């Protein structure tokens, strides 16, 4: 398949992308969380193309993207009070609400569930594209299944050139991890996947919030998680990832020891750690000082390791703040839960 690479985000280009959606095509597009791969949410044949292009298991539902809060009722048949409050306070923004679905949303979008994930992205490019399409856009992340989600146009091109009808090359995703998934069908909001809207944010608005189990642990084969995506091994680059967790100085010391030993054995190693550690000869030194900043570069770093043929990589996990849960959730999965704890 020839993929149209859309370099500009002017009205004409986004109208062309919208036209591809109307004609049953699939289009990758930027959002503030990660790049998405979208199709008309009402078009079953188009949705099938998404699963095929990504190699995505059919029991893992997609999120339906709309341009404005006014359209929630087109996708969901009930909008509980907590949903209204979260939309009022944070939309458009990096979160997805799990709501009872409208019958018009096909089963293939929701993998047969009676609920649907609804998201209003903050990215103006994303919203202009959805408006141009004139229909809700069902979209998972724009990566080959199992690979880190794309946070730059070049990542989406690397995975989907030849598999999607078009790729809109927009801004880098500044949040860098996928949306917070919040189930608001019950009394208390439940975070099924942590992200840019934190537990503290939700508590501030709704008075309470719970975090689903499985957010930091693996899902057993016999379990059915509330968020089907949780059971899949995600975000895994070819490099073997190890998380080194604990105090800043202690983790830095441990990583230096591990890397020295691997390099003695001729293993190509990489690290992702804070720049203040002054670690020389490394592939990836991260320049921030918060988990939010780490989230923004995380998936790009994992891809960078593969591009450079890194066999083993160590990631420093030493910061404590509201985004810690979102970063740990992705890191633990990419490491297949291989974590070395050192002291604080
Ligand atoms: P992705 O955008 O690629 O991260 O994929 C969408 C994520 O949303 C997957 O982890 C799905 O399991 C999750 N999801 C979508 N719809 C629902 C739903 N109705 N209930 C629970 N999780 C959902
Ligand atoms: Mg995904």
């Amino acid at each position: 398949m020839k993929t149209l690479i859309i370099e500009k985000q002017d009205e004409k280009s986004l109208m062309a992308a919208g036209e591809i959606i109307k004609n049953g095509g699939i289009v990758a597009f930027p959002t503030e969380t990660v790049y998405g791969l979208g199709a008309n949410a009402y078009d079953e044949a188009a949705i099938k193309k998404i699963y095929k292009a990504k190699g995505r298991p059919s029991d893992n539902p997609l999120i339906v993207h709309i341009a404005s809060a006014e359209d929630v009722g087109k996708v969901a048949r009930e909008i509980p009070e907590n949903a209204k409050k979260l939309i009022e306070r944070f939309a458009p923004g990096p979160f997805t609400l799990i709501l009872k679905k409208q019958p018009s949303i096909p089963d293939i979008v929701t993998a047969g569930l009676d609920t649907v994930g609804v998201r209003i992205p903050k990215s103006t490019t994303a919203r202009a594209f959805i408006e141009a399409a004139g229909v809700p856009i069902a979209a998972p992340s724009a990566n080959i299944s199992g690979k880190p989600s794309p946070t730059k146009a070049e990542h989406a091109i690397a995975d989907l050139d030849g598999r999607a009808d078009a790729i809109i090359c927009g801004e880098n995703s500044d949040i860098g991890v996928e949306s917070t998934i919040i189930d608001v069908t019950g009394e208390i909001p439940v975070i099924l996947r942590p992200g840019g809207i934190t537990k503290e944010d939700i508590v501030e608005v709704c008075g309470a919030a719970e975090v689903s189990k499985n957010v930091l642990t693996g899902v057993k084969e016999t379990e059915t998680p509330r968020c089907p995506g949780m059971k899949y091994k995600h975000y895994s680059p070819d490099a073997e990832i190890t998380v080194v967790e604990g105090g800043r100085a202690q983790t830095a010391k441990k990583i230096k020891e591990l890397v020295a030993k691997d390099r003695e054995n001729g293993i190509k190693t990489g690290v992702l750690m804070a720049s203040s550690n002054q670690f020389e000869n490394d592939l990836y030194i991260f320049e921030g000082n918060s988990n939010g900043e780490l989230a923004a570069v995380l998936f790009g770093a994992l891809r960078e390791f593969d591009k450079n043929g890194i066999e083993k990589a160590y990631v420093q996990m030493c910061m404590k703040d509201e985004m810690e849960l979102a970063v740990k959730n992705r890191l633990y999965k990419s490491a297949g839960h291989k974590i070395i704890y050192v002291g604080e």
Side-chain angles (χ1 to χ4, degrees):
M1 172 194 285
K2 175 99 180 92
T3 301
L4 176 67
I5 304 293
I6 301 176
E7 303 276 1
K8 290 187 195 152
Q9 288 121 64
D10 55 15
E11 202 187 327
K12 194 168 152 241
S13 308
L14 294 175
M15 288 308 279
E19 214 42 51
I20 293 173
I21 295 289
K22 285 179 192 162
N23 292 327
I26 59 175
V27 177
F29 62 101
T31 85
E32 74 280 15
T33 57
V34 301
Y35 273 64
L37 176 62
N40 176 354
Y42 300 125
D43 183 341
E44 290 191 36
I47 304 291
K48 273 192 192 141
K49 291 183 193 167
I50 292 181
Y51 282 94
K52 184 158 176 259
K54 282 180 58 90
R56 185 178 177 94
S58 59
D59 65 350
N60 194 4
L62 312 184
I63 289 170
V64 176
H65 294 66
I66 52 177
S68 130
E70 287 158 30
D71 292 339
V72 177
K74 288 187 187 159
V75 180
R77 65 176 191 272
E78 275 172 37
I79 309 170
E81 210 44 49
N82 280 332
K84 287 183 190 149
K85 287 184 192 166
L86 290 166
I87 290 168
E88 166 81 13
R89 175 75 174 77
F90 297 119
F95 68 107
T96 294
L97 294 175
I98 301 299
L99 297 162
K100 299 262 175 68
K101 82 175 189 79
Q102 284 288 8
S104 56
I105 300 296
D107 276 348
I108 186 168
V109 170
T110 62
L113 296 172
D114 185 40
T115 52
V116 61
V118 185
R119 167 154 149 72
I120 309 165
K122 195 176 185 89
S123 158
T124 49
T125 309
R127 278 184 286 130
F129 161 60
I130 300 165
E131 271 176 7
V135 285
I137 301 270
S141 50
N143 52 293
I144 300 283
S145 268
K147 290 286 162 202
S149 298
T151 51
K152 295 179 180 185
E154 67 185 71
H155 302 157
I157 292 172
D159 279 16
L160 295 175
D161 194 6
R163 291 171 181 260
D165 294 289
I167 298 172
I168 303 172
C169 301
E171 67 276 10
N172 294 346
S173 303
D174 57 2
I175 304 280
V177 291
E178 305 84 347
S179 59
T180 309
I181 301 183
I182 316 163
D183 185 340
V184 281
T185 58
E187 190 103 328
I188 296 175
V190 183
I191 298 174
L192 304 185
R193 175 175 74 185
I197 297 295
T198 64
K199 181 179 176 188
E200 290 77 4
D201 291 331
I202 301 167
V203 170
E204 184 197 312
V205 173
C206 301
E210 286 170 5
V211 179
S212 171
K213 76 187 218 334
N214 304 130
V215 160
L216 292 183
T217 59
V219 178
K220 294 197 196 92
E221 262 178 46
T222 47
E223 276 181 299
T224 308
R226 284 171 70 175
C227 177
M230 284 291 193
K231 71 171 179 277
Y232 292 105
K233 188 171 176 241
H234 243 92
Y235 319 121
S236 47
D238 298 334
E240 183 188 321
I241 306 288
T242 302
V243 178
V244 181
E245 186 171 329
R248 184 176 285 259
Q250 292 87 337
T251 47
K253 182 166 172 275
K254 184 73 183 175
I255 290 174
K256 284 178 195 181
E257 287 166 12
L258 290 164
V259 169
K261 211 164 136 213
D262 284 344
R263 289 186 179 168
E264 255 174 47
N265 292 326
I267 299 169
K268 230 182 148 189
T269 54
V271 298
L272 175 58
M273 62 196 301
S275 57
S276 56
N277 287 300
Q278 300 286 317
F279 194 25
E280 287 158 30
N281 287 329
D282 285 297
L283 188 63
Y284 210 100
I285 297 289
F286 145 70
E287 299 285 353
N289 212 15
S290 69
N291 282 303
E293 289 166 293
L294 176 57
V297 301
L298 178 61
F299 290 149
L302 297 182
R303 283 177 179 264
E304 208 54 34
F305 290 142
D306 284 353
K307 252 171 76 182
N308 288 279
I310 294 296
E311 294 162 279
K312 276 174 115 177
Y314 298 95
V315 185
Q316 184 184 30
M317 182 72 227
C318 64
M319 294 175 290
K320 297 194 183 310
D321 52 46
E322 286 187 12
M323 282 294 281
E324 191 182 341
L325 195 62
V327 170
K328 278 187 177 174
N329 169 260
R330 275 54 170 205
L331 265 182
Y332 287 5
K333 278 198 192 186
S334 62
H337 294 272
K338 202 141 68 64
I339 307 155
I340 297 174
Y341 296 98
V342 294
E344 296 275 320

